[in-house]
Amino acid sequence: MDQVDQTSRCGYVAIMGRPNVGKSTLLNHLLGQKICITSRKPQTTRHNMLGIKTEGANQIIFVDTPGLHSGEGSAMNRYMNRAAASAARDVDAVVFVVERARWTEGDELAAKKLQGISCPLIIAVNKVDQLEDKADLLPQLQALASSHPNAEVVPISALRGTNLDVLEKEIIKHLPESEHFFPEEQITDRSSRFLAAEIVREKIMRQMGAELPYQMAVEVEDFSEEGNILHISAVILVERQGQKKIIIGNKGERIKKIGQQARQDMETLFDAKVMLNLWVKVKSGWSDDERALRSMGFTDE
């Protein structure tokens, strides 16, 4: 009978790749709980976020990163590129997420940024559930194995949970022996206030699609508890008056729907009744103002 290895292991694993390739969806499914917002809009993730999974003797500390993209553009773009690049330093392994049967300039850029990393590399080929014939995947797997000879290549579906157990076993191989850094019940390093703001931002992104103003942020100004009721007030920041009108919608219908959907997710996450108040404020030039970004939590810490 095989003996189960009870050696305590703990380590950091960065999840990297181009924007909109499925990194946040992957982390949510690995954790079995939603802590990262997702949408079809590129650059949904703006911050590095820790997702902590503790199972038996193993604790994996995942770092979900903003998508690596070309062009520095605004202060916001520069911040996101720094956040993503910094995650590859001082981790025990990197999971590089790519999409099956598709290799873009964004993937090429991300691959270049990962050249020279000293830690083990695992390439997760995502969305394999969308392939009718799995044999079509073989040329891509061979090409990735050839271009990254030291990497392990694992085909997965983040959305369907396909092969995530295989990916996790591969990750655990690279965890160093160590005491756990976080309590067993903790799943993220982010505050409830931060998670509430991210939920509101996700609902805006999903509601608005192509109309979405890229220069949009959410700040939670009040997060207080009264009995089993959470009172949350958040301001949605945009850069122009026209963007404010778009988010509010005709007779306030759009912001009402955003609030309803966000409140439902918050009640599930916080296991409490939520009273949510939203309003929209115009703050010109905030997304290219380093000081304004720091005041809203966009720091390199």
Side-chain angles (χ1 to χ4, degrees):
M1 190 174 187
D2 291 338
Q3 284 195 320
V4 178
D5 182 5
Q6 288 301 316
T7 305
S8 180
R9 297 180 184 278
C10 182
Y12 285 83
V13 177
I15 301 176
M16 305 189 70
R18 65 169 164 80
N20 213 28
V21 77
K23 299 183 296 297
S24 297
T25 300
L26 174 59
L27 179 53
N28 287 336
H29 281 77
L30 283 165
L31 295 176
Q33 186 167 340
K34 180 175 177 176
I35 64 161
C36 301
I37 67 170
T38 60
S39 82
R40 297 189 179 195
K41 196 84 175 170
Q43 297 171 27
T44 300
T45 301
R46 288 177 173 174
H47 304 263
N48 288 344
M49 179 190 280
L50 298 190
I52 304 153
K53 180 163 186 176
T54 308
E55 234 173 49
N58 301 310
Q59 184 173 85
I60 310 171
I61 305 163
F62 293 102
V63 188
D64 185 36
T65 65
L68 289 159
H69 55 281
S70 58
E72 291 297 299
S74 67
M76 171 73 81
N77 281 341
R78 292 193 295 274
Y79 163 80
M80 287 194 291
N81 269 340
R82 286 199 305 270
S86 70
R89 302 184 204 118
D90 303 320
V91 292
D92 299 291
V94 168
V95 175
F96 176 29
V97 184
V98 300
E99 195 174 327
R100 57 99 189 93
R102 188 168 174 231
W103 185 266
T104 68
E105 284 183 22
D107 294 303
E108 193 64 42
L109 172 76
K112 283 180 181 172
K113 297 251 184 187
L114 290 172
Q115 281 177 354
I117 62 167
S118 56
C119 65
L121 179 66
I122 303 164
I123 303 174
V125 184
N126 195 19
K127 305 183 184 180
V128 296
D129 56 306
Q130 296 174 11
L131 281 175
E132 289 184 16
D133 185 355
K134 295 295 185 281
D136 293 342
L137 189 61
L138 196 57
Q140 185 180 14
L141 296 182
Q142 289 171 336
L144 287 168
S146 174
S147 59
H148 300 82
N150 296 321
E152 289 295 327
V153 181
V154 183
I156 64 162
S157 167
L159 192 60
R160 306 292 173 204
T162 307
N163 255 11
L164 297 194
D165 56 336
V166 176
L167 177 62
E168 202 167 318
K169 283 176 186 172
E170 195 57 46
I171 289 167
I172 289 169
K173 286 182 192 175
H174 303 297
L175 297 182
E177 291 185 17
S178 167
E179 294 299 313
H180 295 175
F181 300 154
F182 294 93
E184 186 176 344
E185 67 279 1
Q186 188 170 344
I187 61 162
T188 184
D189 64 327
R190 291 293 185 171
S191 67
S192 297
R193 183 183 285 257
F194 173 87
L195 295 173
E198 287 288 270
I199 286 171
V200 173
R201 195 163 66 85
E202 176 188 68
K203 301 312 170 192
I204 296 168
M205 297 181 84
R206 291 190 166 197
Q207 272 284 316
M208 299 188 64
E211 293 179 274
L212 177 77
Y214 174 64
Q215 296 87 359
M216 176 273 296
V218 179
E219 275 190 287
V220 171
E221 299 199 330
D222 177 53
F223 192 106
S224 55
E225 193 170 356
E226 198 175 292
N228 193 40
I229 300 175
L230 283 175
H231 294 270
I232 301 172
S233 297
V235 59
I236 300 162
L237 293 174
V238 293
E239 297 221 331
R240 295 192 296 277
Q241 195 66 34
Q243 296 170 343
K244 178 178 178 177
K245 288 179 182 175
I246 290 171
I247 289 179
I248 291 172
N250 185 33
K251 297 181 181 176
E253 281 300 311
R254 178 170 271 158
I255 197 166
K256 183 180 176 184
K257 193 175 282 187
I258 289 165
Q260 288 171 340
Q261 293 176 352
R263 181 178 53 78
Q264 288 170 359
D265 271 19
M266 288 178 192
E267 289 183 342
T268 300
L269 180 63
F270 302 132
D271 194 23
K273 184 170 175 56
V274 172
M275 302 293 289
L276 176 63
N277 292 308
L278 299 177
W279 66 96
V280 188
K281 179 178 174 183
V282 178
K283 188 173 183 176
S284 180
W286 71 266
S287 68
D288 201 23
D289 183 334
E290 298 274 5
R291 184 180 296 176
L293 287 172
R294 282 196 299 275
S295 76
M296 288 188 286
F298 292 91
T299 70
D300 291 330
E301 294 299 315

